[in-house]
Amino acid sequence: MIGWALRRMTQSLLVIVLMTLVVFIGLNAIGNPMDILVGEDLNQAERLQAIAHLGLDKPLWEQYLIFLKGVAHANLGQSFVYHEDAMRLILQRLPATFELAFCALFLAVVIGVPLGMFAGAYPDHPLSRLMMAASIVGFSLPAFWVALMMIMLFSIKLGWLPASGRGETREWLGVQWSWLTLDGLQHLLLPALNLALFKISLVLRLTRAGVREVLPQEFVKFARAKGLSPMRVMCMHVMRNTMIPLVTVLAMELGSTIAYAVVTESIFSWPGAGKLILDSINTLDRPVVVAYLMVVVVIFVVLNLIVDGLYYLLDPRVRIEASR
Amino acid sequence: MNAVQKVLTTRVCLQAQSPWRRVAVEFMNSPTAVVGLLVLLAIVLVAVLAPWIVVQNPYDLMQLNVLDARLAPGSANMDSGYTYWLGTDGQGRDLVSAILYGLRISLWVGIGSALIAALIGTLLGLVSAYAGGWVDALLMRLVDLLLSFPVILMALMILAWLGKGVGNVMLTLVLLEWAYYARTARGQALTESRREYVDAARGQGIGPWRIVVGHILPNCLPPLIVIGALQIARAITLEATLSFLGLGVPVTEPSLGLLIANGFQYMLSNEYWISLFPGLALLITIVAINLVGDRLRDVLNPRLQR
């Protein structure tokens, strides 16, 4: 176990270092950073002074080491626009993004699992066929366009739900949250549902496939033979055995949900890290872009580690392979 | 064996000899897929012929009249009297013309990037399978790395460095897509290279590259075609999303995504059509491609055939 964990952690660290290299090369190879960082109306002496101040006179490998040191200390410089520490800016906005992403996954599970279990238990029912067809549309729909249509229908035509911002927030554990107030929940519903649409289709299909795989197995027949009610068999025996692959897929999907939140946040003016990064790309605020990329890479690598760990704990086959 | 039976067997044999014909016949067995294919062909046709169909060139600012901006569907043009069937956008563009031109960009970017990525990816996949050793390990770790991060994130990252433009969007899509083809081509090539016909070709003294290109590659094509079809749909969606976010095509040449984005601000004042109709065009295109791709997957899947 320890050997396996150590090996996986070394791999993860390698990926992070590799990504710092990619980001660093991207920062330096394309365009002269001087043109972006320093105004053009400087004379030669001032230019050289600025170059020395920014450390751009050093050889490239030394600049990279300095950049790495910054990454390790979570210090990636000041935002050009907000004049604040770039890393702190990202970390301030991250809770809002996490709130949105977790709500989306929650909706996906709450809606997708029951529907998927129904579709798996009665594959020939007309409702099941309808759900499968709807899930294909769910995969095809461009999420950003659906978001606009949701705003048009629910916010403008019907006036049921607000279309922008986080609404009223309440502090918990030192961070402001929307889901603790009724107004905040109303603001949360549309963006979370939009972000969840694709995941609902995914969860529905995964659950359906899982149920169809588990239903013909011996232990289900045995549970039925014991005289348990069909409801109890479904909820206790079938569901548990379909949950294992679902949990690991959902853990992986959390990462992509955070990434796709960029689109949802920008449409619903949700003040999370995704909206910040988009604004920063448009204003060429490079320290913030770099800080965001590094934070997301770390989140991803950690998520991958957790998923692999889950597999290791849940699936004996992985353990056997790893111990070889 | 009587004559009729003999003719029938010969016909069956002839059909079996041409795999592409069998694929075409089986494809036609699904009415949904045929509808999807017909819709797709119609979309491609109007997109290609757009300059001869439309009433105005939406990218030529001289032809736009700001006084005609944000007209509802069915309104008449002030000067020359033609009807804006789907209304106009914020700059006074006729939406029918803008959508057809937008489709041109979307299809060009989607199909173009998918083809280039397929070419590069397949080549690298074959090289990886053929070379083995450290080349294989290096290429496949690179593929793993690329595929483990969500596309939208990688696209944001690349476009943040490259900047806007049709060419840059295509480059980004190629950089993201080749990995899918490379992985599939490598896997398929590794399985195929163990088949008897490869041994037979080797036995005839045919050179390694001719075996790879002439014998293994044609047998790797079916899964690559399926991936290609689905990747085109993904590429079109991604381009639309990036353009919607303001990172894709320039404002002067709006693709469907940018048209939708431009309509967003007017939607709040109930002028729904600027976002609605380009979005519908996008949706129909993607669904049509997905229907064709799904059917291709069923027809070309070797596990279902044998």
Side-chain angles (χ1 to χ4, degrees):
Chain A
M1 173 76 200
I2 295 171
W4 176 86
L6 273 178
R7 204 160 57 234
R8 273 303 278 114
M9 275 162 152
T10 326
Q11 279 174 8
S12 305
L13 216 65
L14 212 67
V15 171
I16 294 180
V17 171
L18 208 65
M19 288 308 274
T20 60
L21 199 62
V22 170
V23 171
F24 179 78
I25 290 171
L27 196 66
N28 283 278
I30 300 155
N32 185 358
M34 279 304 289
D35 296 340
I36 299 150
L37 295 170
V38 188
E40 281 176 5
D41 48 345
L42 294 177
N43 65 36
Q44 196 57 27
E46 283 170 326
R47 250 185 110 78
L48 286 175
Q49 200 186 356
I51 288 175
H53 178 70
L54 291 163
L56 293 173
D57 53 344
K58 297 190 175 74
L60 215 56
W61 61 269
E62 208 179 326
Q63 287 186 40
Y64 175 64
L65 285 184
I66 293 169
F67 173 75
L68 261 190
K69 208 172 132 195
V71 172
H73 289 95
N75 172 22
L76 290 168
Q78 296 247 322
S79 155
F80 301 152
V81 177
Y82 299 92
H83 299 290
E84 254 186 84
D85 186 54
M87 206 54 146
R88 188 185 300 155
L89 260 177
I90 298 281
L91 293 179
Q92 274 171 0
R93 300 286 197 96
L94 219 47
T97 301
F98 272 117
E99 183 179 33
L100 190 61
F102 274 110
C103 271
L105 284 188
F106 176 75
L107 281 177
V109 171
V110 167
I111 299 172
V113 169
L115 292 182
M117 292 190 70
F118 179 85
Y122 308 101
D124 295 322
H125 197 281
L127 269 179
S128 308
R129 287 172 191 276
L130 185 75
M131 276 189 252
M132 290 312 282
S135 72
I136 291 182
V137 181
F139 278 122
S140 300
L141 284 171
F144 69 96
W145 184 69
V146 179
L148 296 193
M149 294 303 115
M150 281 168 117
I151 291 181
M152 197 173 80
L153 184 64
F154 294 111
S155 304
I156 299 170
K157 294 267 182 210
L158 298 172
W160 288 351
L161 291 164
S164 76
R166 284 185 84 180
E168 198 186 324
T169 54
R170 186 173 294 166
E171 194 173 298
W172 183 56
L173 299 176
V175 184
Q176 298 287 331
W177 301 100
S178 286
W179 57 277
L180 293 170
T181 65
L182 187 66
D183 184 54
L185 273 180
Q186 284 179 339
H187 280 81
L188 191 54
L189 187 58
L190 275 189
L193 194 62
N194 177 245
L195 200 53
L197 268 184
F198 183 83
K199 312 288 171 211
I200 293 175
S201 309
L202 186 72
V203 170
L204 194 156
R205 285 178 160 248
L206 275 176
T207 313
R208 178 180 175 273
V211 168
R212 294 199 66 184
E213 204 179 303
V214 172
L215 267 184
Q217 288 188 23
E218 298 292 324
F219 67 87
V220 178
K221 279 182 200 154
F222 178 68
R224 278 207 191 113
K226 270 200 305 192
L228 297 181
S229 71
M231 198 62 195
R232 206 176 147 75
V233 174
M234 272 312 263
C235 293
M236 295 299 294
H237 298 258
V238 177
M239 198 165 124
R240 261 196 202 171
N241 284 284
T242 48
M243 282 304 105
I244 297 170
L246 198 64
V247 167
T248 47
V249 168
L250 279 180
M252 279 308 295
E253 285 297 314
L254 179 64
S256 83
T257 313
I258 290 172
Y260 277 94
V262 171
V263 182
T264 308
E265 282 177 10
S266 79
I267 297 171
F268 290 94
S269 305
W270 189 262
K275 187 164 159 40
L276 177 70
I277 175 74
L278 209 64
D279 294 342
S280 302
I281 288 176
N282 283 326
T283 52
L284 293 175
D285 197 349
R286 290 202 174 204
V288 178
V289 177
V290 171
Y292 174 85
L293 290 176
M294 289 327 299
V295 166
V296 172
V297 165
V298 170
I299 291 177
F300 252 83
V301 169
V302 170
L303 272 176
N304 269 324
L305 255 181
I306 292 174
V307 170
D308 281 359
L310 277 177
Y311 265 122
Y312 189 87
L313 292 175
L314 294 174
D315 196 336
R317 281 169 298 184
V318 180
R319 241 170 299 169
I320 294 164
E321 204 171 290
S323 63
R324 247 183 232 153
Chain B
M1 191 188 282
N2 61 35
V4 180
Q5 250 179 337
K6 208 170 180 179
V7 170
L8 274 178
T9 1
T10 334
R11 276 191 66 185
V12 170
C13 286
L14 275 178
Q15 273 185 1
Q17 274 166 5
S18 161
W20 295 113
R21 195 169 157 194
R22 182 194 60 76
V23 166
V25 169
E26 265 185 49
F27 186 92
M28 294 300 172
N29 280 341
S30 160
T32 352
V34 173
V35 170
L37 187 65
L38 289 178
V39 170
L40 191 62
L41 287 178
I43 288 172
V44 171
L45 198 69
V46 290
V48 169
L49 297 178
W52 295 278
I53 300 174
V54 297
V55 287
Q56 58 166 230
N57 179 356
Y59 300 159
D60 182 5
L61 295 175
M62 294 301 288
Q63 292 186 27
L64 305 181
N65 189 348
V66 188
L67 292 175
D68 279 355
R70 297 154 66 188
L71 290 177
S75 308
N77 176 294
M78 305 272 195
D79 320 317
S80 48
Y82 56 79
T83 315
Y84 295 120
W85 290 111
L86 297 181
T88 59
D89 77 351
Q91 273 87 45
R93 279 191 192 96
D94 170 41
L95 266 184
V96 179
S97 317
I99 287 173
L100 291 187
Y101 268 76
L103 266 177
R104 272 167 87 90
I105 296 188
S106 292
L107 289 174
W108 164 238
V109 169
I111 297 173
S113 65
L115 282 182
I116 301 172
L119 206 69
I120 297 173
T122 308
L123 191 72
L124 287 179
L126 290 177
V127 166
S128 191
Y130 183 71
W134 66 270
V135 178
D136 185 30
L138 190 74
L139 274 172
M140 285 306 116
R141 287 300 81 74
L142 189 61
V143 167
D144 287 344
L145 190 71
L146 261 178
L147 295 188
S148 65
F149 290 95
V151 230
I152 182 94
L153 193 75
M154 303 297 271
L156 283 179
M157 204 160 129
I158 300 170
L159 278 175
W161 307 140
L162 289 182
K164 280 184 197 181
V166 177
N168 286 349
V169 173
M170 282 182 75
L171 181 61
T172 307
L173 291 173
V174 170
L175 282 174
L176 294 173
E177 282 175 4
W178 70 269
Y180 292 91
Y181 300 97
R183 179 178 273 180
T184 315
R186 172 184 175 271
Q188 194 72 17
L190 280 182
T191 349
E192 290 297 327
S193 61
R194 288 191 211 100
R195 294 270 171 90
E196 285 91 353
Y197 71 85
V198 177
D199 287 339
R202 228 176 254 139
Q204 286 175 347
I206 298 175
W209 271 110
R210 255 192 81 191
I211 294 182
V212 171
V213 177
H215 296 249
I216 295 179
L217 180 62
N219 286 293
C220 298
L221 279 181
L224 288 172
I225 290 172
V226 174
I227 291 187
L230 299 175
Q231 284 295 326
I232 291 174
R234 282 177 50 132
I236 291 176
T237 317
L238 191 62
E239 183 274 326
T241 309
L242 291 170
S243 297
F244 176 80
L245 293 175
L247 297 168
V249 298
V251 196
T252 44
E253 291 172 59
S255 69
L256 293 177
L258 198 58
L259 282 174
I260 296 171
N262 289 339
F264 185 29
Q265 45 179 321
Y266 304 117
M267 216 178 61
L268 301 172
S269 49
N270 231 336
E271 285 154 345
Y272 61 90
W273 56 89
I274 311 176
S275 282
L276 179 69
F277 294 125
L280 281 179
L282 184 64
L283 180 63
I284 293 170
T285 313
I286 295 170
V287 170
I289 298 176
N290 276 342
L291 285 177
V292 173
D294 269 358
R295 185 63 192 163
L296 280 178
R297 178 164 55 196
D298 292 345
V299 174
L300 292 175
N301 190 342
R303 266 178 300 179
L304 294 176
Q305 281 170 34
R306 285 161 198 165

Coordinates of all heavy atoms in Angstrom, one line a residue, chain B residues 15 29 295:
Chain B
Q15 N -21.5 -8.9 -52.9 CA -21.7 -7.9 -51.8 C -20.7 -8.0 -50.7 O -20.1 -7.0 -50.2 CB -23.1 -8.0 -51.3 CG -24.1 -7.2 -52.1 CD -25.5 -7.2 -51.5 OE1 -25.7 -7.8 -50.4 NE2 -26.4 -6.6 -52.2
N29 N -30.2 1.2 -43.4 CA -31.3 0.5 -42.7 C -31.9 1.3 -41.5 O -32.9 1.0 -41.0 CB -30.7 -0.8 -42.1 CG -30.7 -1.8 -43.2 OD1 -31.3 -1.7 -44.2 ND2 -29.9 -2.9 -43.0
R295 N -24.6 6.0 -35.8 CA -24.9 4.9 -36.7 C -23.6 4.3 -37.3 O -23.5 3.1 -37.4 CB -25.8 5.4 -37.9 CG -26.3 4.3 -38.8 CD -27.2 3.3 -38.1 NE -27.5 2.2 -39.0 CZ -27.9 1.0 -38.5 NH1 -28.2 0.9 -37.2 NH2 -28.1 0.0 -39.3

